[in-house]
Amino acid sequence: MKHKLIILFVLCTFFVISLMTNSMGPIFPALIDSYAIGLTLAGLFPFAFFIAYGVTSIPAGILVDKYGERRVIILAFSLAFIGAVTFVCLPSFSIAMFSLFCIGTGMSLLQVAVNPLLRQAAGPEHFAFFSVLAQLAFGGAATLAPLVYQHFVALDQASAASANYVQQLLPENMSWLAMYWLFAVVALAMVLFASLVKMPKVDKLADESAGALETHLHLFKDKTVLKFFFAIAAYVALEQGLANSISVFLSQYHGLDTLSVGANVVSDFWFYMTLGCLLGLLLLKLIDSQILLLSFSLSSLVCFLVAIWGPSQLALICFPLVGFFISIMWSVIFSLALNSRAQDHGSFAGILCTGIIGGAFISPIIGVISELSGELRFGMLVLLIPMAYIGYVALTARPLIKNTTLFSTKAASKDDGSKQMATTNTRGNKLL
Protein backbone atom coordinates (compact mmCIF):
# COMPACT_ATOMS: atom_id res chain seq x y z
CA MET A 1 0.00 0.00 0.00
CA LYS A 2 1.74 3.12 -1.27
CA HIS A 3 -1.04 5.57 -0.50
CA LYS A 4 -1.55 5.39 3.25
CA LEU A 5 -2.37 9.11 3.45
CA ILE A 6 -5.13 8.67 0.85
CA ILE A 7 -6.56 5.76 2.83
CA LEU A 8 -6.59 7.95 5.94
CA PHE A 9 -8.28 10.72 3.95
CA VAL A 10 -11.00 8.35 2.70
CA LEU A 11 -11.62 6.99 6.21
CA CYS A 12 -11.91 10.57 7.49
CA THR A 13 -14.33 11.30 4.65
CA PHE A 14 -16.59 8.41 5.65
CA PHE A 15 -16.47 9.66 9.24
CA VAL A 16 -17.52 13.16 8.14
CA ILE A 17 -20.29 11.86 5.85
CA SER A 18 -21.77 9.94 8.76
CA LEU A 19 -21.35 12.81 11.23
CA MET A 20 -23.29 15.20 8.99
CA THR A 21 -25.88 12.67 7.82
CA ASN A 22 -26.75 11.05 11.13
CA SER A 23 -26.92 14.12 13.38
CA MET A 24 -30.53 14.72 12.34
CA GLY A 25 -31.93 12.05 14.68
CA PRO A 26 -30.86 13.54 18.03
CA ILE A 27 -31.50 17.10 16.81
CA PHE A 28 -35.02 16.30 15.54
CA PRO A 29 -36.91 17.12 18.79
CA ALA A 30 -34.99 20.41 19.11
CA LEU A 31 -35.98 21.35 15.55
CA ILE A 32 -39.64 20.88 16.47
CA ASP A 33 -39.27 23.06 19.58
CA SER A 34 -37.13 25.78 17.98
CA TYR A 35 -39.43 26.34 14.99
CA ALA A 36 -42.67 25.50 16.86
CA ILE A 37 -43.74 23.10 14.13
CA GLY A 38 -45.39 19.69 13.95
CA LEU A 39 -43.94 16.38 12.85
CA THR A 40 -44.99 16.88 9.23
CA LEU A 41 -43.10 20.15 8.75
CA ALA A 42 -40.19 18.83 10.80
CA GLY A 43 -40.02 15.95 8.33
CA LEU A 44 -39.09 18.46 5.63
CA PHE A 45 -35.63 18.84 7.21
CA PRO A 46 -34.52 15.28 6.38
CA PHE A 47 -36.50 15.59 3.13
CA ALA A 48 -34.35 18.53 1.99
CA PHE A 49 -31.20 16.62 2.89
CA PHE A 50 -31.99 13.24 1.31
CA ILE A 51 -33.77 14.51 -1.78
CA ALA A 52 -30.32 15.72 -2.85
CA TYR A 53 -29.26 12.09 -3.26
CA GLY A 54 -32.05 11.46 -5.73
CA VAL A 55 -31.14 14.53 -7.75
CA THR A 56 -27.35 14.26 -7.73
CA SER A 57 -26.20 10.62 -7.35
CA ILE A 58 -26.24 9.78 -11.06
CA PRO A 59 -24.81 13.17 -12.19
CA ALA A 60 -22.13 12.74 -9.51
CA GLY A 61 -20.85 9.58 -11.22
CA ILE A 62 -20.71 11.39 -14.55
CA LEU A 63 -18.85 14.33 -12.94
CA VAL A 64 -16.29 11.99 -11.38
CA ASP A 65 -15.65 10.31 -14.73
CA LYS A 66 -15.21 13.69 -16.45
CA TYR A 67 -13.35 15.81 -13.89
CA GLY A 68 -11.74 13.31 -11.52
CA GLU A 69 -12.09 12.52 -7.84
CA ARG A 70 -10.14 15.48 -6.40
CA ARG A 71 -12.25 18.21 -8.00
CA VAL A 72 -15.52 16.50 -7.11
CA ILE A 73 -14.40 15.94 -3.50
CA ILE A 74 -13.35 19.59 -3.10
CA LEU A 75 -16.67 20.68 -4.62
CA ALA A 76 -18.54 18.38 -2.22
CA PHE A 77 -16.88 19.68 0.94
CA SER A 78 -17.22 23.26 -0.31
CA LEU A 79 -20.97 22.77 -0.73
CA ALA A 80 -21.17 21.29 2.77
CA PHE A 81 -19.27 24.29 4.17
CA ILE A 82 -21.53 26.79 2.39
CA GLY A 83 -24.64 24.95 3.54
CA ALA A 84 -23.53 24.75 7.17
CA VAL A 85 -22.45 28.40 7.42
CA THR A 86 -25.64 29.59 5.72
CA PHE A 87 -27.76 27.55 8.14
CA VAL A 88 -26.02 29.04 11.18
CA CYS A 89 -26.06 32.62 9.93
CA LEU A 90 -29.62 32.56 8.56
CA PRO A 91 -31.46 29.84 10.54
CA SER A 92 -34.94 30.51 9.16
CA PHE A 93 -37.10 27.58 8.07
CA SER A 94 -36.85 28.32 4.33
CA ILE A 95 -33.09 28.94 4.40
CA ALA A 96 -32.68 25.69 6.34
CA MET A 97 -34.16 23.79 3.37
CA PHE A 98 -31.60 25.31 1.00
CA SER A 99 -28.72 24.72 3.41
CA LEU A 100 -29.59 21.09 4.08
CA PHE A 101 -29.96 20.48 0.35
CA CYS A 102 -26.44 21.86 -0.17
CA ILE A 103 -25.02 19.61 2.56
CA GLY A 104 -26.92 16.60 1.19
CA THR A 105 -25.59 17.28 -2.30
CA GLY A 106 -22.06 17.37 -0.93
CA MET A 107 -22.53 14.05 0.85
CA SER A 108 -23.98 12.50 -2.32
CA LEU A 109 -20.94 13.59 -4.35
CA LEU A 110 -18.61 12.15 -1.72
CA GLN A 111 -20.39 8.78 -1.62
CA VAL A 112 -19.76 8.37 -5.34
CA ALA A 113 -16.20 9.75 -5.44
CA VAL A 114 -14.40 8.11 -2.52
CA ASN A 115 -15.11 4.39 -3.10
CA PRO A 116 -13.09 4.04 -6.34
CA LEU A 117 -10.39 6.19 -4.72
CA LEU A 118 -10.20 3.78 -1.79
CA ARG A 119 -9.96 0.77 -4.12
CA GLN A 120 -7.11 2.40 -6.04
CA ALA A 121 -5.22 3.55 -2.93
CA ALA A 122 -5.54 0.30 -0.99
CA GLY A 123 -5.26 -2.03 -3.95
CA PRO A 124 -7.98 -4.44 -5.10
CA GLU A 125 -6.59 -7.18 -2.85
CA HIS A 126 -7.09 -5.01 0.27
CA PHE A 127 -10.28 -3.25 -0.82
CA ALA A 128 -12.70 -5.47 1.11
CA PHE A 129 -10.79 -4.99 4.38
CA PHE A 130 -10.64 -1.22 4.09
CA SER A 131 -14.28 -1.05 2.98
CA VAL A 132 -15.21 -2.69 6.27
CA LEU A 133 -12.90 -0.28 8.10
CA ALA A 134 -14.63 2.61 6.35
CA GLN A 135 -18.00 1.29 7.50
CA LEU A 136 -16.67 1.14 11.06
CA ALA A 137 -15.60 4.79 10.75
CA PHE A 138 -19.09 5.58 9.46
CA GLY A 139 -20.70 3.74 12.38
CA GLY A 140 -18.36 5.36 14.89
CA ALA A 141 -19.33 8.85 13.75
CA ALA A 142 -23.04 7.98 13.85
CA THR A 143 -22.60 6.76 17.43
CA LEU A 144 -20.61 9.85 18.40
CA ALA A 145 -22.93 12.45 16.80
CA PRO A 146 -25.67 12.32 19.51
CA LEU A 147 -23.02 12.55 22.24
CA VAL A 148 -21.43 15.61 20.60
CA TYR A 149 -24.89 17.17 20.39
CA GLN A 150 -25.40 16.50 24.11
CA HIS A 151 -22.07 18.19 24.85
CA PHE A 152 -22.93 21.34 22.93
CA VAL A 153 -26.33 21.68 24.60
CA ALA A 154 -24.73 21.02 28.00
CA LEU A 155 -22.34 23.93 27.36
CA ASP A 156 -25.35 26.15 26.86
CA GLN A 157 -26.91 25.02 30.14
CA ALA A 158 -23.89 24.45 32.38
CA SER A 159 -23.12 27.96 33.62
CA ALA A 160 -23.83 31.57 32.93
CA ALA A 161 -20.34 32.15 31.55
CA SER A 162 -20.58 29.26 29.12
CA ALA A 163 -24.09 30.20 28.12
CA ASN A 164 -23.13 33.80 27.38
CA TYR A 165 -20.27 32.63 25.19
CA VAL A 166 -22.49 30.24 23.24
CA GLN A 167 -25.31 32.75 22.94
CA GLN A 168 -22.96 35.25 21.32
CA LEU A 169 -22.56 32.80 18.44
CA LEU A 170 -26.04 31.29 18.26
CA PRO A 171 -29.65 32.48 18.33
CA GLU A 172 -31.53 32.04 21.60
CA ASN A 173 -32.83 28.50 22.24
CA MET A 174 -30.93 27.17 19.23
CA SER A 175 -27.82 25.73 20.84
CA TRP A 176 -28.16 22.73 18.50
CA LEU A 177 -26.90 25.02 15.71
CA ALA A 178 -23.44 24.58 17.23
CA MET A 179 -23.42 21.24 15.40
CA TYR A 180 -23.49 23.14 12.11
CA TRP A 181 -20.59 25.35 13.21
CA LEU A 182 -18.75 22.07 13.76
CA PHE A 183 -19.78 20.85 10.30
CA ALA A 184 -18.47 24.06 8.73
CA VAL A 185 -15.10 23.76 10.45
CA VAL A 186 -14.76 20.09 9.58
CA ALA A 187 -15.78 20.67 5.95
CA LEU A 188 -13.25 23.48 5.58
CA ALA A 189 -10.52 21.28 7.07
CA MET A 190 -11.38 18.51 4.60
CA VAL A 191 -11.23 20.98 1.68
CA LEU A 192 -7.68 21.84 2.74
CA PHE A 193 -6.83 18.15 3.24
CA ALA A 194 -8.14 17.26 -0.24
CA SER A 195 -6.28 20.20 -1.82
CA LEU A 196 -2.92 19.27 -0.28
CA VAL A 197 -2.88 15.48 -0.44
CA LYS A 198 -1.54 13.83 -3.60
CA MET A 199 -4.27 11.61 -5.04
CA PRO A 200 -3.48 8.65 -7.33
CA LYS A 201 -5.01 8.36 -10.78
CA VAL A 202 -7.97 6.02 -10.51
CA ASP A 203 -7.97 3.34 -13.18
CA LYS A 204 -11.51 2.07 -13.45
CA LEU A 205 -12.52 -1.17 -15.06
CA ALA A 206 -14.85 -0.69 -18.01
CA ASP A 207 -17.72 -2.15 -15.99
CA GLU A 208 -17.16 0.31 -13.13
CA SER A 209 -17.65 3.47 -15.19
CA ALA A 210 -20.76 5.47 -14.44
CA GLY A 211 -21.95 5.25 -18.04
CA ALA A 212 -24.01 7.67 -20.10
CA LEU A 213 -27.40 9.01 -19.09
CA GLU A 214 -29.00 6.80 -21.74
CA THR A 215 -27.62 3.73 -19.98
CA HIS A 216 -29.22 4.77 -16.70
CA LEU A 217 -32.57 5.41 -18.36
CA HIS A 218 -32.41 1.99 -20.02
CA LEU A 219 -31.61 0.31 -16.70
CA PHE A 220 -34.59 1.95 -15.02
CA LYS A 221 -36.81 -0.14 -17.32
CA ASP A 222 -35.32 -3.38 -15.98
CA LYS A 223 -37.46 -5.14 -13.33
CA THR A 224 -34.40 -6.40 -11.43
CA VAL A 225 -32.92 -2.90 -11.26
CA LEU A 226 -36.21 -1.46 -10.03
CA LYS A 227 -36.59 -4.19 -7.40
CA PHE A 228 -33.23 -3.41 -5.82
CA PHE A 229 -33.59 0.35 -6.26
CA PHE A 230 -36.75 0.21 -4.14
CA ALA A 231 -35.00 -2.15 -1.70
CA ILE A 232 -32.26 0.43 -1.07
CA ALA A 233 -34.92 3.15 -0.79
CA ALA A 234 -36.79 0.96 1.71
CA TYR A 235 -33.67 0.39 3.80
CA VAL A 236 -32.74 4.08 4.02
CA ALA A 237 -36.36 4.96 4.81
CA LEU A 238 -36.33 2.39 7.60
CA GLU A 239 -33.00 3.57 9.02
CA GLN A 240 -33.77 7.28 8.94
CA GLY A 241 -37.41 6.91 9.95
CA LEU A 242 -36.32 5.11 13.09
CA ALA A 243 -33.40 7.40 13.91
CA ASN A 244 -35.55 10.52 13.58
CA SER A 245 -38.48 9.14 15.57
CA ILE A 246 -36.86 7.40 18.54
CA SER A 247 -36.22 10.43 20.73
CA VAL A 248 -39.63 12.02 20.03
CA PHE A 249 -41.38 8.68 20.68
CA LEU A 250 -39.66 8.14 24.04
CA SER A 251 -40.61 11.66 25.09
CA GLN A 252 -44.27 11.46 24.02
CA TYR A 253 -45.10 7.98 25.29
CA HIS A 254 -42.75 7.47 28.23
CA GLY A 255 -41.95 11.02 29.35
CA LEU A 256 -38.20 10.50 28.87
CA ASP A 257 -35.99 13.53 28.31
CA THR A 258 -34.96 13.93 24.67
CA LEU A 259 -31.46 15.13 25.60
CA SER A 260 -30.34 12.94 28.49
CA VAL A 261 -32.18 9.77 27.42
CA GLY A 262 -33.34 10.16 23.82
CA ALA A 263 -29.94 11.16 22.44
CA ASN A 264 -28.31 8.25 24.28
CA VAL A 265 -30.76 5.75 22.81
CA VAL A 266 -30.16 7.14 19.31
CA SER A 267 -26.41 6.77 19.94
CA ASP A 268 -27.00 3.17 21.06
CA PHE A 269 -29.06 2.58 17.92
CA TRP A 270 -26.07 3.47 15.73
CA PHE A 271 -23.62 1.65 18.01
CA TYR A 272 -25.65 -1.56 17.77
CA MET A 273 -25.69 -1.14 13.99
CA THR A 274 -21.90 -1.06 14.04
CA LEU A 275 -21.77 -4.19 16.18
CA GLY A 276 -24.22 -5.85 13.82
CA CYS A 277 -21.96 -5.11 10.85
CA LEU A 278 -19.05 -6.83 12.60
CA LEU A 279 -21.10 -9.90 13.49
CA GLY A 280 -22.60 -9.89 10.01
CA LEU A 281 -19.14 -10.38 8.49
CA LEU A 282 -18.82 -13.62 10.45
CA LEU A 283 -22.37 -14.79 9.80
CA LEU A 284 -21.99 -14.29 6.05
CA LYS A 285 -19.25 -16.91 6.13
CA LEU A 286 -21.67 -19.33 7.75
CA ILE A 287 -25.09 -18.50 6.27
CA ASP A 288 -26.35 -17.69 2.78
CA SER A 289 -26.87 -13.92 2.49
CA GLN A 290 -30.54 -14.22 1.47
CA ILE A 291 -31.36 -16.40 4.49
CA LEU A 292 -29.49 -13.98 6.74
CA LEU A 293 -31.31 -10.99 5.25
CA LEU A 294 -34.70 -12.65 5.75
CA SER A 295 -33.86 -13.68 9.33
CA PHE A 296 -32.66 -10.22 10.27
CA SER A 297 -35.73 -8.64 8.61
CA LEU A 298 -38.08 -10.76 10.73
CA SER A 299 -36.03 -10.10 13.88
CA SER A 300 -36.06 -6.34 13.29
CA LEU A 301 -39.84 -6.45 12.81
CA VAL A 302 -40.37 -8.25 16.15
CA CYS A 303 -38.05 -5.88 18.04
CA PHE A 304 -39.70 -2.85 16.43
CA LEU A 305 -43.20 -3.93 17.46
CA VAL A 306 -42.04 -4.62 21.03
CA ALA A 307 -40.31 -1.19 21.12
CA ILE A 308 -43.41 0.80 20.14
CA TRP A 309 -46.03 -1.23 22.03
CA GLY A 310 -44.05 -2.37 25.08
CA PRO A 311 -43.15 -0.54 28.31
CA SER A 312 -40.33 1.99 28.51
CA GLN A 313 -37.79 -0.57 29.77
CA LEU A 314 -38.30 -2.70 26.65
CA ALA A 315 -38.33 0.36 24.36
CA LEU A 316 -34.89 1.39 25.62
CA ILE A 317 -33.57 -2.07 24.76
CA CYS A 318 -35.48 -2.90 21.59
CA PHE A 319 -34.89 0.32 19.62
CA PRO A 320 -31.11 -0.28 19.63
CA LEU A 321 -31.76 -3.96 18.83
CA VAL A 322 -33.66 -2.90 15.70
CA GLY A 323 -30.46 -1.08 14.70
CA PHE A 324 -28.53 -4.31 15.25
CA PHE A 325 -30.83 -6.32 13.00
CA ILE A 326 -30.97 -3.82 10.14
CA SER A 327 -27.18 -3.44 10.18
CA ILE A 328 -26.41 -5.91 7.40
CA MET A 329 -29.26 -4.86 5.11
CA TRP A 330 -27.46 -2.19 3.07
CA SER A 331 -24.45 -4.35 2.22
CA VAL A 332 -26.44 -7.51 1.53
CA ILE A 333 -29.00 -5.74 -0.67
CA PHE A 334 -26.23 -3.95 -2.57
CA SER A 335 -24.25 -7.14 -3.15
CA LEU A 336 -27.34 -9.14 -4.17
CA ALA A 337 -28.20 -6.35 -6.61
CA LEU A 338 -24.82 -6.22 -8.33
CA ASN A 339 -24.59 -10.00 -8.38
CA SER A 340 -28.00 -10.19 -10.08
CA ARG A 341 -26.77 -8.49 -13.26
CA ALA A 342 -23.97 -9.51 -15.58
CA GLN A 343 -23.06 -6.00 -16.76
CA ASP A 344 -23.42 -2.22 -16.30
CA HIS A 345 -22.39 -2.46 -12.64
CA GLY A 346 -21.10 1.11 -12.53
CA SER A 347 -24.38 2.59 -13.76
CA PHE A 348 -26.36 0.15 -11.62
CA ALA A 349 -24.42 1.21 -8.51
CA GLY A 350 -25.26 4.84 -9.29
CA ILE A 351 -28.95 3.98 -9.51
CA LEU A 352 -28.75 2.09 -6.21
CA CYS A 353 -27.17 5.12 -4.53
CA THR A 354 -30.05 7.19 -5.91
CA GLY A 355 -32.25 4.95 -3.77
CA ILE A 356 -30.97 6.86 -0.74
CA ILE A 357 -33.77 9.25 -1.69
CA GLY A 358 -35.96 6.94 0.39
CA GLY A 359 -34.74 8.80 3.46
CA ALA A 360 -36.35 11.99 2.11
CA PHE A 361 -39.96 10.85 2.19
CA ILE A 362 -40.32 8.70 5.29
CA SER A 363 -40.23 11.41 7.98
CA PRO A 364 -42.90 13.60 6.31
CA ILE A 365 -45.08 10.49 5.81
CA ILE A 366 -44.72 9.52 9.47
CA GLY A 367 -45.52 13.12 10.40
CA VAL A 368 -48.69 13.30 8.29
CA ILE A 369 -50.07 10.00 9.61
CA SER A 370 -49.15 10.94 13.19
CA GLU A 371 -50.88 14.32 13.01
CA LEU A 372 -53.98 12.94 11.28
CA SER A 373 -54.35 10.10 13.78
CA GLY A 374 -53.04 11.96 16.83
CA GLU A 375 -50.67 9.05 17.49
CA LEU A 376 -46.96 8.94 16.60
CA ARG A 377 -47.16 5.20 17.17
CA PHE A 378 -49.56 4.82 14.23
CA GLY A 379 -47.32 6.96 12.05
CA MET A 380 -44.33 4.77 12.86
CA LEU A 381 -46.25 1.66 11.81
CA VAL A 382 -45.59 2.74 8.22
CA LEU A 383 -42.04 1.43 8.80
CA LEU A 384 -43.50 -2.08 8.61
CA ILE A 385 -43.78 -1.55 4.83
CA PRO A 386 -40.03 -1.23 4.14
CA MET A 387 -39.35 -4.10 6.57
CA ALA A 388 -41.80 -6.33 4.68
CA TYR A 389 -40.41 -5.28 1.28
CA ILE A 390 -36.84 -6.10 2.28
CA GLY A 391 -38.05 -9.52 3.43
CA TYR A 392 -39.75 -9.94 0.04
CA VAL A 393 -36.49 -9.12 -1.76
CA ALA A 394 -34.66 -11.67 0.39
CA LEU A 395 -37.17 -14.33 -0.71
CA THR A 396 -37.28 -13.48 -4.41
CA ALA A 397 -33.71 -12.41 -5.29
CA ARG A 398 -32.06 -14.59 -7.94
CA PRO A 399 -28.38 -13.62 -7.91
CA LEU A 400 -26.08 -15.02 -10.60
CA ILE A 401 -23.46 -15.50 -7.88
CA LYS A 402 -24.21 -16.39 -4.27
CA ASN A 403 -21.93 -15.48 -1.38
CA THR A 404 -19.48 -18.26 -0.51
CA THR A 405 -19.84 -19.84 2.94
CA LEU A 406 -17.62 -22.25 4.83
CA PHE A 407 -20.16 -24.95 4.04
CA SER A 408 -20.12 -24.37 0.29
CA THR A 409 -18.61 -27.38 -1.42
CA LYS A 410 -15.61 -26.93 -3.65
CA ALA A 411 -17.41 -28.79 -6.39
CA ALA A 412 -20.40 -26.47 -6.24
CA SER A 413 -18.17 -23.41 -6.21
CA LYS A 414 -16.22 -24.66 -9.18
CA ASP A 415 -19.39 -25.51 -11.09
CA ASP A 416 -21.01 -22.15 -10.32
CA GLY A 417 -17.87 -20.29 -11.23
CA SER A 418 -17.47 -22.01 -14.59
CA LYS A 419 -21.05 -21.18 -15.56
CA GLN A 420 -21.06 -17.61 -14.30
CA MET A 421 -17.64 -16.38 -15.34
CA ALA A 422 -18.75 -16.80 -18.94
CA THR A 423 -21.52 -14.27 -18.48
CA THR A 424 -20.35 -11.81 -15.85
CA ASN A 425 -17.34 -9.85 -14.71
CA THR A 426 -17.58 -9.27 -10.96
CA ARG A 427 -14.09 -8.02 -10.17
CA GLY A 428 -14.33 -5.19 -7.66
CA ASN A 429 -18.13 -5.32 -7.51
CA LYS A 430 -18.96 -8.02 -4.98
CA LEU A 431 -19.38 -6.34 -1.62
CA LEU A 432 -19.87 -9.54 0.33
Side-chain angles (χ1 to χ4, degrees):
M1 291 179 290
K2 300 179 180 179
H3 305 288
K4 294 181 180 179
L5 191 59
I6 293 297
I7 293 173
L8 175 63
F9 172 79
V10 173
L11 294 178
C12 290
T13 298
F14 273 103
F15 185 91
V16 173
I17 292 173
S18 179
L19 184 68
M20 294 189 182
T21 301
N22 297 316
S23 293
M24 190 68 68
I27 294 174
F28 205 70
L31 293 174
I32 295 173
D33 292 339
S34 296
Y35 291 99
I37 55 178
L39 286 169
T40 303
L41 286 178
L44 294 179
F45 285 96
F47 174 85
F49 185 93
F50 284 99
I51 198 69
Y53 279 93
V55 175
T56 61
S57 286
I58 292 174
I62 298 172
L63 283 175
V64 170
D65 283 349
K66 186 172 183 179
Y67 296 107
E69 283 72 19
R70 183 197 297 274
R71 290 181 180 178
V72 172
I73 289 170
I74 291 175
L75 172 63
F77 281 121
S78 298
L79 285 171
F81 173 79
I82 292 169
V85 170
T86 305
F87 196 2
V88 173
C89 295
L90 301 168
S92 67
F93 187 87
S94 57
I95 294 297
M97 298 298 101
F98 165 78
S99 299
L100 288 169
F101 182 84
C102 283
I103 298 173
T105 299
M107 299 305 100
S108 174
L109 294 173
L110 290 172
Q111 290 271 20
V112 175
V114 295
N115 277 297
L117 186 62
L118 179 61
R119 182 183 65 81
Q120 186 71 31
E125 68 276 14
H126 300 294
F127 183 47
F129 172 82
F130 283 103
S131 292
V132 173
L133 198 59
Q135 290 304 309
L136 291 179
F138 190 93
T143 303
L144 185 64
L147 305 180
V148 174
Y149 165 66
Q150 279 183 327
H151 175 72
F152 281 136
V153 176
L155 279 179
D156 190 36
Q157 299 174 348
S159 66
S162 296
N164 288 335
Y165 174 72
V166 174
Q167 288 168 359
Q168 288 176 6
L169 299 174
L170 304 171
E172 187 177 359
N173 298 322
M174 285 189 170
S175 55
W176 52 269
L177 275 172
M179 290 292 289
Y180 288 88
W181 272 125
L182 175 64
F183 296 164
V185 172
V186 170
L188 183 59
M190 293 301 289
V191 168
L192 296 175
F193 196 172
S195 301
L196 296 174
V197 70
K198 184 178 181 180
M199 295 188 184
K201 183 180 183 298
V202 177
D203 299 316
K204 291 185 179 180
L205 302 171
D207 198 41
E208 294 176 325
S209 178
L213 182 60
E214 294 78 10
T215 303
H216 292 88
L217 295 176
H218 174 73
L219 286 174
F220 264 118
K221 299 176 182 178
D222 187 284
K223 291 182 179 179
T224 299
V225 173
L226 288 176
K227 174 194 286 188
F228 286 104
F229 166 79
F230 285 116
I232 290 292
Y235 167 75
V236 180
L238 178 58
E239 174 194 280
Q240 293 299 317
L242 280 165
N244 293 337
S245 301
I246 288 173
S247 190
V248 180
F249 178 90
L250 293 175
S251 175
Q252 286 191 10
Y253 287 94
H254 301 297
L256 300 175
D257 182 64
T258 57
L259 181 62
S260 61
V261 179
N264 281 332
V265 177
V266 175
S267 177
D268 288 342
F269 172 81
W270 292 111
F271 179 65
Y272 275 52
M273 281 190 68
T274 305
L275 292 180
C277 287
L278 291 175
L279 180 61
L281 291 174
L282 173 62
L283 291 176
L284 285 165
K285 293 300 181 183
L286 303 174
I287 305 172
D288 180 78
S289 61
Q290 287 179 252
I291 296 175
L292 187 65
L293 181 60
L294 180 60
S295 301
F296 272 42
S297 297
L298 293 173
S299 299
S300 65
L301 185 148
V302 171
C303 289
F304 171 70
L305 290 175
V306 173
I308 65 171
W309 294 105
S312 60
Q313 295 90 338
L314 285 178
L316 295 176
I317 296 171
C318 287
F319 275 128
L321 281 178
V322 177
F324 178 86
F325 286 117
I326 71 173
S327 61
I328 55 96
M329 290 181 178
W330 170 276
S331 296
V332 172
I333 292 169
F334 215 103
S335 64
L336 284 173
L338 294 184
N339 286 339
S340 295
R341 278 191 61 86
Q343 56 189 6
D344 297 319
H345 287 160
S347 298
F348 192 10
I351 289 173
L352 292 175
C353 287
T354 305
I356 297 175
I357 196 175
F361 297 100
I362 193 64
S363 291
I365 291 173
I366 291 175
V368 169
I369 297 174
S370 299
E371 293 185 354
L372 289 176
S373 65
E375 290 280 349
L376 174 59
R377 183 178 279 133
F378 293 156
M380 291 179 68
L381 284 176
V382 77
L383 295 173
L384 295 175
I385 297 174
M387 287 183 186
Y389 184 77
I390 291 170
Y392 161 77
V393 169
L395 284 171
T396 60
R398 297 291 181 267
L400 301 173
I401 299 175
K402 289 182 174 289
N403 67 300
T404 302
T405 69
L406 296 176
F407 302 106
S408 301
T409 63
K410 293 182 179 180
S413 298
K414 183 176 180 180
D415 183 58
D416 289 343
S418 63
K419 292 178 181 178
Q420 293 156 353
M421 285 303 292
T423 59
T424 183
N425 173 17
T426 60
R427 179 184 171 196
N429 293 308
K430 287 178 66 179
L431 301 183
L432 297 170

